[in-house]
Amino acid sequence: MLDHKDLEAEIHPLKNEERKSQENLGNPSKNEDNVKSAPPQSRLSRCRAAAFFLSLFLCLFVVFVVSFVIPCPDRPASQRMWRIDYSAAVIYDFLAVDDINGDRIQDVLFLYKNTNSSNNFSRSCVDEAAVSGANGSTLWERPVAQDVALVECAVPQPRGSEAPSACILVGRPSSFIAVNLFTGETLWNHSSSFSGNASILSPLLQVPDVDGDGAPDLLVLTQEREEVSGHLYSGSTGHQIGLRGSLGVDGESGFLLHVTRTASSLCGCSVKGLYEKVTGSGGPFKSDPHWESMLNATTRRMLSHSSGAVRYLMHVPGNAGADVLLVGSEAFVLLDGQELTPRWTPKAAHVLRKPIFGRYKPDTLAVAVENGTGTDRQILFLDLGTGAVLCSLALPSLPGGPLSASLPTADHRSAFFFWGLHELGSTSETETGEARHSLYMFHPTLPRVLLELANVSTHIVAFDAVLFEPSRHAAYILLTGPADSEAPGLVSVIKHKVRDLVPSSRVVRLGEGGPDSDQAIRDRFSRLRYQSEA
């Protein structure tokens, strides 16, 4: 049987605990013995718990500070549409984009000339301007020359170089200028050595470093009568390297600097040979016996693979310029970048405008070629790997229409933008003289459909489709102005976001209508997402 104390403890446990605590207070030495006798494992677990709650508190504090106390950087609001107008001006066929002010939105550079309150328009200076892609505000603007014959922006600098990116301008009558791309400040300005009767040929070519200063150098091509000459300039200082050197070619050929494994070749003429002509020394170039054997022993030129005059020479993107697309007046062909032998059989065509690259199939590079002109124009999509025709679109156009463009989409294809007649299949516009250019959008997932985004009745000088922000905000830029460069008028620089134009666009079906309604097709174009180039 339980004694009296045990029975009372079982019936009143709380009272029993109070009695034990009072006994412990009355006997501190016993209490200390209990503490000393506590196992070290229990004390360690309490330390772990304290450390856990302390670290949790610190994490929550950091999250709170980052989320609510530290302000987020202001993201500039990019307007969907903006327009800049200049009265009594002319605009040049030059349009470039780059992030000039560092806000991660592409900005726009262009050239124009206005009266500037001068009574003599011909003596006014050409201004180069950079405007914000977000809202069209002016970032910088400066006069550069009385007239501009050639301009190239964002000339790449070698890795590790502190030299700023620049715009190189060849001005008339005799100026050679470099302008800081980000500030508009003049980096250097020299008088050119070109003859007054010489024509400046496009493009401005960048050559490997020949003067040993670590920066790529520049090659300017000029034509006087039937002779084409090359002028080498230092890319860092603008000073001429050597004298003028004749290339021994006529001005009917296209020009492209193409770098091989061990040597450089320019239109079938080696840069090494040109350097020897202008300086009298061999320069920092290696000889390639294979390429030397391909050059004619007398003319030191390479035989052309083009049928007819060469219209365009283009590096194929994605292969570090490994191959060359040669577009002639009667045919075009893809050449191996090292052997300059055709990769596929030349395709007969009547090409007068520069082709554009894009992806018709997922991750498969294609080229869109405009075959023919006027009401007979067709858009041919060719697989660059095989030369096979992937698709053909009949898209009549007006003479002198803007160039086409493409933008990569998130489905690993491309959206293509072409200009054509407002009323496809109708010649009434050309007959009545009411020239209206229409901008059409095409995506390979809808091969028998075009989307008419906009139509313009004014003269279009330049056009481009641009991804203004990384993987978002696809828009087009339009430069419009007088057709006659000697007759100033209204000049406009316009930006429109593509997605905003889709709801009011017109669906043009090129074949028998599919099951989708016009609104369903617009919705599919609206859902397109774009991605930045790798």
Side-chain angles (χ1 to χ4, degrees):
M1 293 183 63
L2 298 174
D3 58 14
H4 179 71
K5 289 185 178 180
D6 293 338
L7 181 61
E8 185 178 0
E10 184 176 353
I11 298 175
H12 303 287
L14 295 178
K15 290 183 178 181
N16 188 52
E17 291 295 330
E18 291 178 358
R19 187 182 302 109
K20 288 182 178 180
S21 61
Q22 290 176 0
E23 291 176 358
N24 290 335
L25 290 174
N27 192 358
S29 60
K30 185 179 180 181
N31 193 27
E32 291 177 0
D33 292 340
N34 290 335
V35 172
K36 290 180 181 179
S37 63
Q41 188 175 3
S42 62
R43 293 198 301 271
L44 184 60
S45 63
R46 286 196 294 269
C47 292
R48 288 175 178 173
F52 169 76
F53 285 109
L54 180 60
S55 60
L56 180 62
F57 172 77
L58 290 176
C59 290
L60 293 176
F61 178 75
V62 170
V63 170
F64 174 80
V65 170
V66 172
S67 301
F68 301 102
V69 178
I70 299 178
C72 295
D74 293 333
R75 183 185 183 89
S78 186
Q79 296 181 7
R80 300 170 181 269
M81 184 270 178
W82 50 255
R83 174 175 180 147
I84 308 170
D85 290 330
Y86 301 92
S87 60
V90 296
I91 197 160
Y92 288 73
D93 185 7
F94 165 72
L95 178 61
V97 295
D98 205 325
D99 183 10
I100 296 174
N101 57 359
D103 61 356
R104 301 190 67 192
I105 299 176
Q106 295 295 301
D107 304 307
V108 182
L109 296 103
F110 57 93
L111 295 171
Y112 77 100
K113 179 194 284 192
N114 61 17
T115 56
N116 288 328
S117 302
S118 174
N119 295 327
N120 192 341
F121 176 77
S122 62
R123 304 191 68 171
S124 300
C125 280
V126 176
D127 285 0
E128 183 176 15
V131 298
S132 168
N135 53 32
S137 60
T138 301
L139 300 178
W140 56 260
E141 182 176 351
R142 55 154 291 126
V144 289
Q146 185 173 334
D147 197 8
V148 174
L150 189 62
V151 58
E152 183 73 28
C153 278
V155 175
Q157 299 294 330
R159 291 184 179 180
S161 172
E162 297 181 356
S165 297
C167 286
I168 309 297
L169 300 100
V170 180
R172 295 189 182 99
S174 59
S175 59
F176 197 46
I177 309 166
V179 176
N180 189 314
L181 180 66
F182 302 109
T183 64
E185 297 177 351
T186 300
L187 300 177
W188 40 260
N189 187 353
H190 305 297
S191 295
S192 63
S193 60
F194 312 136
S195 169
N197 298 325
S199 301
I200 311 298
L201 301 179
S202 178
L204 176 70
L205 299 176
Q206 190 176 27
V207 300
D209 178 27
V210 297
D211 59 356
D213 62 356
D217 296 314
L218 305 170
L219 175 61
V220 180
L221 302 176
T222 61
Q223 181 181 6
E224 189 171 2
R225 295 185 180 89
E226 299 299 325
E227 183 184 18
V228 175
S229 301
H231 308 256
L232 285 171
Y233 291 89
S234 170
S236 58
T237 64
H239 294 300
Q240 186 170 3
I241 302 172
L243 303 174
R244 178 180 66 91
S246 175
L247 297 182
V249 297
D250 55 45
E252 295 297 323
S253 301
F255 298 96
L256 172 76
L257 181 73
H258 180 64
V259 179
T260 63
R261 293 188 185 96
T262 57
S264 298
S265 172
L266 172 70
C267 267
C269 304
S270 68
V271 174
K272 178 178 181 291
L274 176 62
Y275 184 83
E276 290 175 351
K277 287 183 180 180
V278 301
T279 64
S281 60
F285 295 101
K286 298 179 182 179
S287 295
D288 187 337
H290 177 70
W291 273 71
E292 291 291 332
S293 65
M294 297 171 66
L295 294 176
N296 184 282
T298 304
T299 63
R300 307 303 296 167
R301 293 172 57 189
M302 188 174 296
L303 296 177
S304 171
H305 293 272
S306 172
S307 176
V310 176
R311 300 292 186 189
Y312 300 100
L313 288 166
M314 304 170 63
H315 279 142
V316 176
N319 295 325
D323 295 333
V324 176
L325 181 67
L326 186 150
V327 182
S329 58
E330 301 175 10
F332 53 91
V333 62
L334 183 69
L335 303 178
D336 180 274
Q338 300 302 320
E339 305 293 333
L340 284 193
T341 54
R343 286 194 176 275
W344 33 260
T345 305
K347 306 295 181 182
H350 180 55
V351 182
L352 296 177
R353 296 165 63 78
K354 188 175 183 179
I356 58 171
F357 295 111
R359 286 174 171 80
Y360 189 88
K361 296 179 180 179
D363 296 322
T364 302
L365 197 61
V367 59
V369 179
E370 299 182 32
N371 182 27
T373 58
T375 57
D376 297 326
R377 185 181 75 156
Q378 284 189 325
I379 309 295
L380 302 178
F381 294 89
L382 284 84
D383 188 317
L384 269 177
T386 63
V389 178
L390 302 172
C391 180
S392 175
L393 303 176
L395 186 59
S397 66
L398 293 168
L403 295 177
S404 305
S406 67
L407 286 175
T409 53
D411 60 355
H412 303 281
R413 294 180 173 90
S414 296
F416 296 87
F417 301 85
F418 304 103
W419 290 88
L421 290 176
H422 173 57
E423 293 292 341
L424 296 182
S426 172
T427 59
S428 59
E429 293 184 45
T430 56
E431 292 172 356
T432 59
E434 297 178 358
R436 297 180 66 189
H437 297 276
S438 286
L439 177 61
Y440 293 94
M441 184 177 179
F442 172 81
H443 194 264
T445 56
L446 295 169
R448 308 308 301 171
V449 171
L450 290 173
L451 207 63
E452 184 185 22
L453 298 177
N455 54 79
V456 181
S457 58
T458 55
H459 176 67
I460 301 174
V461 179
F463 158 81
D464 199 7
V466 179
L467 202 59
F468 272 83
E469 298 179 69
S471 300
R472 57 180 293 175
H473 200 129
Y476 73 79
I477 291 291
L478 208 59
L479 305 183
T480 64
D484 186 359
S485 60
E486 300 299 326
L490 177 64
V491 164
S492 298
V493 184
I494 306 167
K495 168 197 168 183
H496 263 295
K497 189 174 182 179
V498 171
R499 190 176 181 184
D500 290 348
L501 300 173
V502 172
S504 59
S505 62
R506 181 171 69 98
V507 177
V508 179
R509 299 179 186 270
L510 303 178
E512 295 183 0
D516 292 337
S517 64
D518 287 358
Q519 186 57 46
I521 291 174
R522 293 189 191 97
D523 292 341
R524 289 184 63 176
F525 275 95
S526 294
R527 289 194 295 268
L528 280 179
R529 295 295 179 265
Y530 302 89
Q531 67 177 7
S532 304
E533 291 282 7

